[in-house]
Amino acid sequence: MSNVLVLVDHTGGTVRKTTAELLTIARRLGEPVAVYIGEGVQDALPALGQYGATKVIALTDPELTQYLVAPKAEALQQVAAKLEPAAILISSSAEGKEIAARLAVKLDSGLITDAVDVQEGPVTTQSVFAGNYTVQAKVTHGTPIITVKPNAATPEAAETSPEVEEFDVTISDAAKTARITDSKPREATGRPELTEAAIIVSGGRGTGGDFGPVEAFADSLGAAVGASRAAVDSGWYPHAYQVGQTGKTVSPQLYVAAGISGAIQHRAGMQTSKTIVAINKDEEAPIFELVDFGVVGDLHKVLPTATEEVTKR
Ligand code: FAD
């Protein structure tokens, strides 16, 4: 069976859920080989083995993480030249997409970004034009390089005991042009990562700038907090939490939209959520066309009552 490379998305050895999703998808296409860049590969091994990685290629040269993405693309090019994979899967993060684009140029290969599903072939599914069209595509030239959106697959365990193979790479001077001088993790909120959360509670202009009730309800459910662009543009919540066409795409089990009208650009980022609940004081709000459950009411009254009910249980 052919190898399928999966670039591991991790923070210091803690593997992100998106990698479990990529490994699950890779098993449909061939033998998943995890490519791990940076320190902490031993910490990552159990998670990579749990989702079926047959081998882990470890790239530990510090230069790979001291510069912005160019060295990583060069390194993947060298791994691909040796392993001749049937496909390369990368998470659809900003960094992942830049690595994928550079790699596609280096390998003279076709690239598909933001796949929401990948099946044998590999044939990908993408949701385009703000979610109005679904497109199926296949790379016809070179090694298919595919970036996959978070939540495109449900991680399915398949225990393996992958061995680690150290891989030496040569980084060109041309790739060492943008050095990282400082790197601080975002302040921890204690809430799940937005794109990985099973439950999201989002607030919009209807919050009037007070995200307290949204955060309290989110915390009662162990949920992540999201925001509409109107809330972000008003400076009420950071852009990192924006859901929509120009924000994050999410697909949780439960999405609660509070004080959000349901503009097409917001829907583009959340309409594949499994269950959608809206709280809006306007019963004509377009978000109600999309919901499984709707509450017509003032979020400042509905959310605290809901929080109290959940906390009681
Ligand atoms: P509004 O549309 O103003 O809706 C507020 C809602 O809150 C109303 O329905 C109102 O009835 C309700 N409300 C008010 N008070 C209360 C209350 N007390 N209790 C309950 N309900 C209340 N938007 C995004 O969200 N994400 C994107 O990524 C995005 N990208 C965009 C990209 C482009 C190119 C463009 C042009 C626009 C984009 N937008 C995006 C903006 C989008 O068009 C909308 O303007 C935005 O989503 C509106 O946000 P909102 O629903 O919070 O505000």
Side-chain angles (χ1 to χ4, degrees):
M1 235 206 266
S2 316
N3 293 317
V4 176
L5 298 187
V6 168
L7 179 60
V8 177
D9 196 357
H10 70 95
T11 322
T14 306
V15 176
R16 301 172 79 97
K17 181 170 155 262
T18 48
T19 300
E21 293 163 13
L22 293 188
L23 288 169
T24 302
I25 289 171
R27 299 207 308 269
R28 298 173 192 158
L29 314 176
E31 291 221 350
V33 173
V35 180
Y36 186 98
I37 299 178
E39 291 176 358
V41 66
Q42 291 301 331
D43 296 336
L45 265 189
L48 299 176
Q50 185 184 353
Y51 292 100
T54 53
K55 193 199 283 188
V56 179
I57 307 278
L59 311 179
T60 51
D61 184 337
E63 290 202 316
L64 286 166
T65 46
Q66 283 169 3
Y67 296 88
L68 290 178
V69 295
K72 292 182 181 168
E74 273 194 5
L76 271 181
Q77 176 192 16
Q78 290 163 43
V79 175
K82 185 163 175 221
L83 269 73
E84 298 181 353
I88 303 173
L89 305 181
I90 300 174
S91 295
S92 265
S93 59
E95 182 184 86
K97 283 196 269 192
E98 190 176 340
I99 292 172
R102 287 171 180 268
L103 182 62
V105 172
K106 288 176 188 300
L107 293 177
D108 188 24
S109 289
L111 164 68
I112 292 173
T113 55
D114 291 339
V116 293
D117 190 22
V118 187
Q119 294 294 339
E120 220 177 314
V123 175
T124 66
T125 304
Q126 288 160 290
S127 176
V128 299
F129 296 135
N132 283 315
Y133 288 86
T134 299
V135 173
Q136 295 207 310
K138 194 170 188 273
V139 168
T140 54
H141 186 81
T143 308
I145 300 166
I146 302 166
T147 76
V148 183
K149 284 206 168 197
N151 293 310
T154 306
E156 287 163 19
E159 284 297 336
T160 52
S161 309
E163 52 184 69
V164 178
E165 187 182 309
E166 295 281 340
F167 192 96
D168 290 330
V169 289
T170 314
I171 309 300
S172 71
D173 286 343
K176 295 189 225 165
T177 46
R179 195 181 178 96
I180 299 167
T181 53
D182 193 15
S183 160
K184 289 192 198 85
R186 197 181 319 136
E187 215 172 296
T189 60
R191 298 189 184 102
E193 166 70 25
L194 185 60
T195 54
E196 296 177 0
I199 306 176
I200 296 172
V201 182
S202 285
R205 204 193 309 268
T207 61
D210 177 10
F211 264 65
V214 172
E215 290 185 333
F217 187 48
D219 290 343
S220 73
L221 294 167
V225 172
S228 73
R229 178 159 161 183
V232 170
D233 285 352
S234 305
W236 299 340
Y237 228 69
H239 179 260
Y241 298 91
Q242 183 179 314
V243 172
Q245 189 182 326
T246 42
K248 303 259 162 67
T249 304
V250 298
S251 193
Q253 296 297 323
L254 172 62
Y255 186 88
V256 182
I260 292 177
S261 61
I264 184 80
Q265 296 89 353
H266 188 80
R267 291 179 184 209
M270 46 64 76
Q271 63 193 357
T272 56
S273 304
K274 309 294 173 291
T275 301
I276 299 172
V277 176
I279 301 153
N280 198 302
K281 66 179 187 185
D282 173 10
E283 62 178 40
E284 302 288 327
I287 191 84
F288 285 130
E289 294 161 11
L290 196 67
V291 300
D292 299 284
F293 302 99
V295 181
V296 179
D298 182 343
L299 69 90
H300 294 104
K301 292 187 183 133
V302 176
L303 284 179
T305 309
T307 306
E308 209 182 302
E309 285 301 317
V310 173
T311 314
K312 265 192 223 160
R313 290 174 194 198

